[in-house]
Amino acid sequence: MGITLDKISKSYGKIKALSNISFNVKPGELFGLIGPDGAGKTTLFRILTTLLIPDEGVATVAGYDLVKDYKNIRNNVGYMPGKFSLYQDLTIEENLHFFATIFGTTVEENYQIIKDIYVQIEPFKHRRAGKLSGGMKQKLALSCALIHKPKVLFLDEPTTGVDPVSRKEFWEMLKRLQQTGITILVSTPYMDEAALCDRIALIQHGKILEIDSPKMIVKHYPKPLYNVKAHNMYLLINSLNHYEHKHSVYPFGEFIHYTDSRKDFNPDDLKNYLEHENLFHVEIETTTPTIEDTFMELAK
Amino acid sequence: MKTQNVIQVEGLTKMFGDFTAVNAITFEVKKGEIFGFLGANGAGKTTAMKMLIGISSPTSGLAKVAGFDVYKETESIKKNIGYMSQKFALYDDLTVKENITFFGGIYGLSKKQINQKRSELVEELGLVDVTNSLVSSLPLGWKQKLAFSVSLIHNPKIVFLDEPTGGVDPITRRQFWEMIYNAAHKGTTIFVTTHYMDEAEYCDRVSIMVNGKIEALDTPKKLKEQYKTDSMNDVFLKLARG
């Protein structure tokens, strides 16, 4: 009861939002859609939750066809949109009851599913949704998306704009939720979250760049990658950008991640060049690529 | 010149009723420094920043921004700082050209200065072909780079950046930071908030706010040493989780 997509495309006028998207999400899998703003993630979510009809291609969600069985899909999926979409004037409790009722169930019947998340906001159940903090809104939205016991859960950028502490807690929640057997498709612009998914698709400009497990994606990085450091970051970036043999130069925390265009690259040559450019304390060492490195290399 | 303080804050406090949003924070920022202002959602960052940019009056404490007092000289502060946030930066239904003209005008630049700045900016940012396009039609990354340039249009002493790179793709995010380095190198002080902990590493110094107080303030290197970890993410998690 996962998700299958076969050559899904969607355009808005002249803009091609999605072109030829094909992938499968296995039942019980935590699958990440990783890409920046404007990559087409939200369009894909809206198609899979039957809010938009694709121009081309076929897809199934929880075993149901996107177009023919759209009503069954709606009953079997939970959707947490990127923008907070609950009723601001209803309280926490009222919102939850409302969503349970429209799906023909009750909060009591499915309380077990949301318990882990809901207990954290239950003390505030009489507070209106509009008056909640970002973290609490997120937990309420997730509770409302789960209250009808969906087979597939869609989470569109649940952690955008959320601080690292709350992001970590949210992912711990998702991991526990996954243990219940639910299939989860989650999108995020944060590359570090990708590592927490079973498999990920890297997406940009409406196209899939690569699909694999986080470990394998990193293994596919095509070049030796180096950490470069010197006494002044700004001067170092400038010098590396002007180096004739550079392939890529990206600031990465306290280092610059550097790749060279030559097959027989010798780091000592680069060191000499940088010292000649009046940089001192130059350090160059090999490093392991991250998902973000892979994304940037593919998107280049 | 490097040792000149452009932001000086002492015991700055803001109360809402009996809730203390910002609790006696003290720090200073030097000229040309890139200062990272970090904290969890709700830690008090936005409230603190509002006091520093002169749109919220402190309950107690002292602060000078670009040499001006945050109680009495808020108009002078506004003229001497730049500001950009993810939520508000440019007018979506004005063109690139109109936005630059508008903000130039707001900050009192002459017509001649505005025209000159405009051609410089669109040239530098590679926006020549879209000068007459609505800002709403630009990709987020372009918008944010343009917004940053516009926030510097009146050569402010300090620029305040509130989560400037949220949702921006990793390559553009780095181009954005190269622009920040460039501005800092020219002597502009950068005061920046972010949820990307790798960006915290790009700052000269970083402060971390927890429940209204500044719990840590140092270079990223020293903070990592102090908390015995090799990433700012871990420093943040250790502090903010208490």
Side-chain angles (χ1 to χ4, degrees):
Chain A
M1 292 294 125
I3 306 168
T4 65
L5 289 95
D6 192 17
K7 300 194 181 93
I8 292 283
S9 293
K10 177 79 191 174
S11 298
Y12 301 112
K14 281 184 195 156
I15 298 166
K16 194 119 192 170
L18 293 173
S19 37
N20 253 329
I21 304 281
S22 301
F23 63 86
N24 294 330
V25 180
K26 294 172 203 154
E29 194 172 27
L30 176 52
F31 191 96
L33 205 53
I34 317 293
D37 239 70
K41 302 190 300 289
T42 299
T43 299
L44 192 59
F45 274 106
R46 294 179 63 84
I47 287 173
L48 293 175
T49 51
T50 76
L51 300 172
L52 264 182
I53 297 174
D55 300 336
E56 289 163 57
V58 287
T60 66
V61 176
Y64 298 108
D65 179 83
L66 206 60
V67 181
K68 273 187 293 186
D69 306 322
Y70 74 96
K71 281 190 178 162
N72 282 324
I73 292 183
R74 289 181 188 180
N75 279 323
N76 284 289
V77 304
Y79 176 37
M80 184 171 152
K83 193 169 165 264
F84 183 69
S85 306
L86 301 180
Y87 293 94
Q88 312 258 357
D89 295 335
L90 297 185
T91 64
I92 287 184
E93 196 177 34
E94 287 165 345
N95 265 297
L96 194 60
H97 278 290
F98 176 80
F99 281 94
T101 310
I102 53 172
F103 281 105
T105 182
T106 60
V107 174
E108 293 70 33
E109 195 176 327
N110 291 325
Y111 187 74
Q112 212 49 39
I113 300 161
I114 59 159
K115 193 181 163 200
D116 179 39
I117 304 152
Y118 190 65
V119 287
Q120 302 174 57
I121 52 172
E122 207 165 15
F124 312 98
K125 65 183 179 187
H126 299 303
R127 196 179 288 182
R128 286 186 191 189
K131 299 276 180 205
L132 301 176
S133 72
M136 284 164 77
K137 278 184 182 165
Q138 189 194 44
K139 284 171 189 140
L140 176 59
L142 186 57
S143 301
C144 290
L146 286 169
I147 195 62
H148 59 295
K149 207 177 174 183
K151 296 195 177 82
V152 181
L153 180 64
F154 293 98
L155 304 168
D156 192 5
E157 297 205 16
T159 55
T160 292
V162 175
D163 68 72
V165 178
S166 311
R167 288 208 281 134
K168 188 158 188 269
E169 284 171 2
F170 191 83
W171 277 89
E172 286 164 359
M173 250 162 24
L174 280 194
K175 283 286 186 191
R176 286 196 295 272
L177 201 55
Q178 194 195 2
Q179 304 304 314
T180 67
I182 192 170
T183 306
I184 304 174
L185 180 66
V186 57
S187 71
T188 177
Y190 294 99
M191 304 281 157
D192 57 339
E193 293 180 344
L196 303 166
C197 301
D198 297 327
R199 283 191 308 146
I200 55 176
L202 302 180
I203 180 170
Q204 190 172 38
H205 303 315
K207 288 184 187 136
I208 302 271
L209 301 172
E210 192 162 354
I211 300 173
D212 216 323
S213 67
K215 265 192 191 151
M216 288 312 290
I217 288 218
V218 169
K219 276 199 180 144
H220 292 161
Y221 195 78
K223 281 174 173 290
L225 183 69
Y226 294 88
N227 270 340
V228 185
K229 208 175 167 178
H231 76 289
N232 181 307
M233 194 62 141
Y234 172 74
L235 300 174
L236 178 61
I237 293 173
N238 278 347
S239 295
L240 286 172
N241 274 328
H242 288 116
Y243 190 48
E244 56 175 328
H245 301 296
K246 61 126 201 227
H247 173 72
S248 64
V249 175
Y250 295 122
F252 230 96
E254 61 182 309
F255 301 103
I256 304 284
H257 278 188
Y258 174 84
T259 59
D260 198 90
S261 60
R262 291 165 294 184
K263 282 222 169 81
D264 56 346
F265 170 59
N266 180 352
D268 289 340
D269 295 342
L270 179 62
K271 196 169 184 204
N272 288 336
Y273 163 77
L274 290 173
E275 282 168 353
H276 191 71
E277 290 274 295
N278 292 323
L279 285 150
F280 31 99
H281 305 311
V282 175
E283 288 170 37
I284 303 173
E285 54 188 30
T286 53
T287 185
T288 319
T290 65
I291 289 164
E292 192 153 3
D293 289 302
T294 309
F295 186 94
M296 290 194 289
E297 180 59 30
L298 291 167
K300 220 177 164 211
Chain B
M1 282 298 269
K2 266 275 177 189
T3 53
Q4 190 188 332
N5 287 340
V6 290
I7 301 178
Q8 185 115 33
V9 177
E10 213 183 307
L12 196 67
T13 299
K14 179 79 184 186
M15 316 238 342
F16 296 109
D18 51 13
F19 174 69
T20 310
V22 174
N23 193 349
I25 58 172
T26 298
F27 64 95
E28 75 289 326
V29 183
K30 296 184 182 73
K31 180 176 159 62
E33 190 173 27
I34 303 176
F35 189 84
F37 197 60
L38 312 182
N41 298 114
K45 294 191 306 282
T46 304
T47 306
M49 201 182 278
K50 278 183 176 170
M51 292 191 276
L52 296 179
I53 63 176
I55 60 170
S56 170
S57 193
T59 307
S60 62
L62 300 171
K64 278 196 166 181
V65 175
F68 300 103
D69 183 82
V70 293
Y71 292 93
K72 291 180 197 144
E73 298 171 305
T74 54
E75 288 312 304
S76 301
I77 288 179
K78 288 174 198 167
K79 283 180 190 143
N80 283 282
I81 63 166
Y83 175 81
M84 115 172 226
S85 82
Q86 202 199 343
K87 287 175 202 105
F88 176 78
L90 300 167
Y91 288 98
D92 258 354
D93 41 13
L94 296 183
T95 64
V96 170
K97 188 178 170 180
E98 287 165 344
N99 264 292
I100 298 172
T101 310
F102 176 78
F103 282 100
I106 287 269
Y107 284 112
L109 269 62
S110 70
K111 252 195 175 147
K112 199 179 148 201
Q113 285 172 313
I114 291 174
N115 286 335
Q116 195 193 335
K117 275 278 179 190
R118 194 172 54 219
S119 32
E120 274 172 31
L121 278 186
V122 293
E123 182 74 32
E124 266 173 41
L125 297 171
L127 297 176
V128 177
D129 295 339
V130 292
T131 319
N132 291 312
S133 305
L134 291 182
V135 159
S136 58
S137 71
L138 301 183
L140 179 72
W142 293 21
K143 262 191 233 182
Q144 297 306 80
K145 285 198 273 184
L146 175 62
F148 179 59
S149 300
V150 167
S151 75
L152 294 170
I153 200 162
H154 54 301
N155 297 318
K157 294 195 177 73
I158 309 160
V159 58
F160 288 85
L161 306 171
D162 194 0
E163 287 182 41
T165 56
V168 175
D169 73 83
I171 295 178
T172 312
R173 209 150 68 76
R174 285 172 173 79
Q175 291 167 348
F176 193 92
W177 271 89
E178 286 178 25
M179 291 173 72
I180 291 181
Y181 279 127
N182 201 358
H185 192 73
K186 288 178 185 159
T188 312
T189 304
I190 312 285
F191 188 96
V192 60
T193 73
T194 179
H195 285 321
Y196 290 97
M197 286 304 120
D198 61 326
E199 294 187 349
E201 304 260 10
Y202 304 158
C203 301
D204 294 318
R205 284 188 307 146
V206 161
S207 74
I208 300 178
M209 262 185 104
V210 182
N211 296 330
K213 288 184 186 160
I214 290 184
E215 290 291 349
L217 199 174
D218 216 323
T219 62
K221 188 167 182 267
K222 285 194 180 146
L223 286 176
K224 285 184 286 182
E225 282 167 13
Q226 190 186 336
Y227 289 90
K228 297 182 180 63
T229 161
D230 57 4
S231 82
M232 278 305 292
N233 198 48
D234 291 342
V235 172
F236 189 91
L237 290 176
K238 280 187 180 177
L239 266 168
R241 273 203 172 162

